[in-house]
Amino acid sequence: MIFHDWPWRHWRDLRPQAVAIRLGDETLNWQTLCERVDALASGFAAQGVQCGDGVMLRACNHPRTLLAWLALMQCGARILPVNPQLPDTLLRQLLPSMTLRHALDLADESEFAELSRLEMGVFSGSYAVPWDAHRLTSMTLTSGSTGLPKAAVHTPDAHLASAAGVLSLIPFAAQDDWLLSLPLYHVSGQGILWRWLLAGARLTVREKIPLQQALQGCTHASLVPTQLWRLLNDNVSVALKAVLLGGAAIPVELTELARTRGIRSWCGYGLTEFASTVCAKEADGLPDVGRALPGREVKIVDGEVWLRASSMAAGYWREGRLVPLVNADGWFATCDRGVLQGERLTIPGRMDNLFFSGGEGIQPEEVERIIAAHPQVRQVFIVPKEDAEFGHRSVAVVDLQEGYPSSALAEWCRDKLASFQQPIRWLALPEHLAQGGIKISRRALQHWVATV
C-alpha cells in the first residue's frame, strides 16, 4: 500500500468510526485518535519542534508514549527512543553524536541541559508537516557487542516495507488486535506499530500489568517462549490466534501445545538495521529461521550472512550525518554465521558469540538448541565463564518448568552434548534479566554469571 498522508489520517478518511486503538481502558476510533494526535502535535510545534529536529523520547510502554510517538512523527521529528533504564552516564556519552534539540522524558525528571525539555501539552488546532515516506523518522539504538550502541536510522518507507513482509506471512485483518507487548525503544516494538498502521487494524497499549490481563481481547502478540509457556501452562483464557516468537530457541512442544489451543506460532530472524524481521516461517521444530520475506535478499559469503532489503536503515547516525552500513559490495555483513539450504536460512550463531574451552570451539546457540529440545525447558542460554585451566567453561542459564530439577536436565544432556560442551554449572534464569519479554542481553548474562 502507498500512503499519500499520515497512515492514521488515511484510515480516518476511509473508516473514521472503526476501532483503531485501545489505550488502557479507553477505546478510540480513527477519528478520535487523529484528534488526539493533532492536539499533541500542535503542542509540540508550539514548543519549538520543527521538521527534521532530533527528539529523545525516554519512556516505557504507556498509552501516552504511543500518542507522543505519533505526534512527534506528525511534526516531522527524528525520534530517538531511549530505554529509561539506561544510566544517565551512558546517555551523556551518546547524546552529543545524536544531534538532538529536544527531550520528552515520560519516565522521570532527568535533566539534560543541552536539550530543550518538552511537555505533553495539548493545544487547539491541527498541526502536521506533509507526509514524506522518505523522511528520516526513527533512530533505534543497536545492542552491539562492543563499544557504545549505534543508532540505525529508518524512514517510514523502510518501516512499512518491514511490516509488509511480515504481513505477507501472518494474517492480520482489520478486526484483529495486536498487543504492543514490546517497547518502542526496541525495533520489534516499532515493528508492531507499523504493522498496525499498514493493516489499518487494531492496536492495544496498556500500562505495566500482568501479561494475561494485557492480552484480553488481543488476537496477536509478539512474545518470547517463556511468556507463551506460562500462558499455556496457567490455562489462561485469551483470544490469541497468532504469536510471533523471538529471542531464543523454540521448543516444538511449545508450538504444538499452542496449536492445540488454536494459536499459530511464527518465528524468524531479524535485526535492528532491517526494522525487525528479515526471514520468518510458521514454527515447525526445524532449526532454520525460514525464507527471506518479500523485499529481502540473503546470501552467504565465507560463512557469514549478508543482507540487503527495502527495510534496511538509511545508515547509522553520527555527528549530524548518515554513515553507510553497507560494505563495498552494497550488502550489510551481519557477523552472523549462516547456511542456506535451498531458500531456507539456518543461523548456527553469532561469529562474536563463539568461544573456546580447552582449545575446542563452542557455539552457544548450537548447544542451546539441543537443550531447548527438552520438554521441561522454557528458555536456555549458554554463557562462557573465564577459567584458568581451560580459558572458558560453559555455564547454562535456564528457565525450567516449575519443580523440574536442573540436575535431571544435566543427566539428560550427558549423551547429547560433547564432553567439552557440557555445562559445568546450571543456574536459574534471574527474573531481573528477563526484562519483561524483551530479547535477553547475552552481555548482561555473562556479567551476572561472572558474579555468582
mmCIF file of all heavy atoms in Angstrom, residues 37 93 122 131 198 303-304 351 368 411 422 442 452:
data_model
loop_
_atom_site.group_PDB
_atom_site.id
_atom_site.type_symbol
_atom_site.label_atom_id
_atom_site.label_comp_id
_atom_site.label_asym_id
_atom_site.label_seq_id
_atom_site.Cartn_x
_atom_site.Cartn_y
_atom_site.Cartn_z
ATOM 1 N N VAL A 37 -3.866 13.080 18.337
ATOM 2 C CA VAL A 37 -2.535 13.286 17.767
ATOM 3 C C VAL A 37 -2.376 14.728 17.287
ATOM 4 O O VAL A 37 -1.334 15.358 17.503
ATOM 5 C CB VAL A 37 -2.277 12.280 16.627
ATOM 6 C CG1 VAL A 37 -0.946 12.583 15.927
ATOM 7 C CG2 VAL A 37 -2.268 10.851 17.169
ATOM 8 N N GLN A 93 27.157 10.174 27.215
ATOM 9 C CA GLN A 93 28.165 9.816 26.222
ATOM 10 C C GLN A 93 27.560 9.736 24.817
ATOM 11 O O GLN A 93 28.194 10.104 23.833
ATOM 12 C CB GLN A 93 28.796 8.461 26.565
ATOM 13 C CG GLN A 93 29.727 8.465 27.762
ATOM 14 C CD GLN A 93 30.277 7.074 28.018
ATOM 15 O OE1 GLN A 93 29.644 6.243 28.675
ATOM 16 N NE2 GLN A 93 31.443 6.807 27.473
ATOM 17 N N VAL A 122 -1.412 20.009 25.337
ATOM 18 C CA VAL A 122 -2.474 19.856 24.344
ATOM 19 C C VAL A 122 -2.921 21.235 23.886
ATOM 20 O O VAL A 122 -3.345 22.061 24.695
ATOM 21 C CB VAL A 122 -3.662 19.065 24.917
ATOM 22 C CG1 VAL A 122 -4.800 19.015 23.907
ATOM 23 C CG2 VAL A 122 -3.228 17.656 25.308
ATOM 24 N N TRP A 131 3.189 14.507 4.701
ATOM 25 C CA TRP A 131 3.657 13.119 4.752
ATOM 26 C C TRP A 131 4.790 12.936 3.737
ATOM 27 O O TRP A 131 4.693 13.359 2.587
ATOM 28 C CB TRP A 131 2.513 12.173 4.427
ATOM 29 C CG TRP A 131 2.935 10.768 4.057
ATOM 30 C CD1 TRP A 131 2.939 10.215 2.817
ATOM 31 C CD2 TRP A 131 3.383 9.748 4.950
ATOM 32 N NE1 TRP A 131 3.356 8.912 2.867
ATOM 33 C CE2 TRP A 131 3.649 8.589 4.164
ATOM 34 C CE3 TRP A 131 3.599 9.688 6.327
ATOM 35 C CZ2 TRP A 131 4.103 7.392 4.716
ATOM 36 C CZ3 TRP A 131 4.058 8.499 6.880
ATOM 37 C CH2 TRP A 131 4.311 7.371 6.095
ATOM 38 N N LEU A 198 -0.039 -0.207 8.741
ATOM 39 C CA LEU A 198 -0.163 -0.690 7.380
ATOM 40 C C LEU A 198 -1.492 -1.417 7.170
ATOM 41 O O LEU A 198 -2.166 -1.221 6.153
ATOM 42 C CB LEU A 198 0.998 -1.624 7.035
ATOM 43 C CG LEU A 198 0.985 -2.218 5.627
ATOM 44 C CD1 LEU A 198 1.087 -1.116 4.572
ATOM 45 C CD2 LEU A 198 2.118 -3.224 5.451
ATOM 46 N N GLY A 303 30.793 -18.042 4.936
ATOM 47 C CA GLY A 303 30.091 -18.500 6.135
ATOM 48 C C GLY A 303 29.305 -17.430 6.860
ATOM 49 O O GLY A 303 28.628 -17.731 7.842
ATOM 50 N N GLU A 304 29.344 -16.179 6.381
ATOM 51 C CA GLU A 304 28.662 -15.061 7.044
ATOM 52 C C GLU A 304 27.415 -14.663 6.262
ATOM 53 O O GLU A 304 27.404 -14.669 5.034
ATOM 54 C CB GLU A 304 29.608 -13.867 7.151
ATOM 55 C CG GLU A 304 29.017 -12.664 7.870
ATOM 56 C CD GLU A 304 29.971 -11.478 7.895
ATOM 57 O OE1 GLU A 304 30.904 -11.440 7.067
ATOM 58 O OE2 GLU A 304 29.769 -10.588 8.737
ATOM 59 N N MET A 351 29.078 -14.950 15.044
ATOM 60 C CA MET A 351 30.517 -15.144 14.974
ATOM 61 C C MET A 351 31.198 -14.632 16.237
ATOM 62 O O MET A 351 32.171 -15.209 16.703
ATOM 63 C CB MET A 351 31.077 -14.437 13.741
ATOM 64 C CG MET A 351 30.677 -15.111 12.433
ATOM 65 S SD MET A 351 31.383 -14.304 10.995
ATOM 66 C CE MET A 351 31.186 -15.606 9.770
ATOM 67 N N GLU A 368 22.413 -24.557 22.854
ATOM 68 C CA GLU A 368 21.082 -24.145 23.333
ATOM 69 C C GLU A 368 19.967 -24.868 22.597
ATOM 70 O O GLU A 368 18.961 -25.260 23.207
ATOM 71 C CB GLU A 368 20.932 -22.625 23.166
ATOM 72 C CG GLU A 368 21.810 -21.825 24.110
ATOM 73 C CD GLU A 368 22.010 -20.383 23.671
ATOM 74 O OE1 GLU A 368 21.400 -19.965 22.664
ATOM 75 O OE2 GLU A 368 22.791 -19.679 24.341
ATOM 76 N N GLU A 411 21.722 -34.575 33.557
ATOM 77 C CA GLU A 411 21.837 -36.003 33.260
ATOM 78 C C GLU A 411 21.295 -36.310 31.869
ATOM 79 O O GLU A 411 21.874 -37.112 31.125
ATOM 80 C CB GLU A 411 21.086 -36.803 34.315
ATOM 81 C CG GLU A 411 21.219 -38.317 34.176
ATOM 82 C CD GLU A 411 22.660 -38.771 34.257
ATOM 83 O OE1 GLU A 411 23.437 -38.178 35.032
ATOM 84 O OE2 GLU A 411 23.008 -39.735 33.528
ATOM 85 N N GLN A 422 29.537 -29.744 27.688
ATOM 86 C CA GLN A 422 28.724 -29.939 28.889
ATOM 87 C C GLN A 422 28.886 -28.751 29.844
ATOM 88 O O GLN A 422 30.022 -28.393 30.205
ATOM 89 C CB GLN A 422 29.152 -31.223 29.624
ATOM 90 C CG GLN A 422 29.022 -32.494 28.825
ATOM 91 C CD GLN A 422 27.593 -32.997 28.766
ATOM 92 O OE1 GLN A 422 26.728 -32.538 29.503
ATOM 93 N NE2 GLN A 422 27.361 -33.967 27.889
ATOM 94 N N ARG A 442 22.947 -11.102 26.078
ATOM 95 C CA ARG A 442 23.982 -12.084 26.432
ATOM 96 C C ARG A 442 25.091 -11.431 27.248
ATOM 97 O O ARG A 442 25.678 -12.051 28.122
ATOM 98 C CB ARG A 442 24.568 -12.718 25.166
ATOM 99 C CG ARG A 442 23.626 -13.705 24.487
ATOM 100 C CD ARG A 442 24.299 -14.399 23.315
ATOM 101 N NE ARG A 442 23.369 -15.300 22.658
ATOM 102 C CZ ARG A 442 23.171 -16.564 22.999
ATOM 103 N NH1 ARG A 442 23.856 -17.084 24.001
ATOM 104 N NH2 ARG A 442 22.309 -17.314 22.355
ATOM 105 N N VAL A 452 28.384 -14.804 40.221
ATOM 106 C CA VAL A 452 27.701 -15.792 41.082
ATOM 107 C C VAL A 452 28.522 -17.072 41.191
ATOM 108 O O VAL A 452 29.464 -17.298 40.440
ATOM 109 C CB VAL A 452 26.300 -16.117 40.528
ATOM 110 C CG1 VAL A 452 25.425 -14.895 40.567
ATOM 111 C CG2 VAL A 452 26.358 -16.694 39.124
#
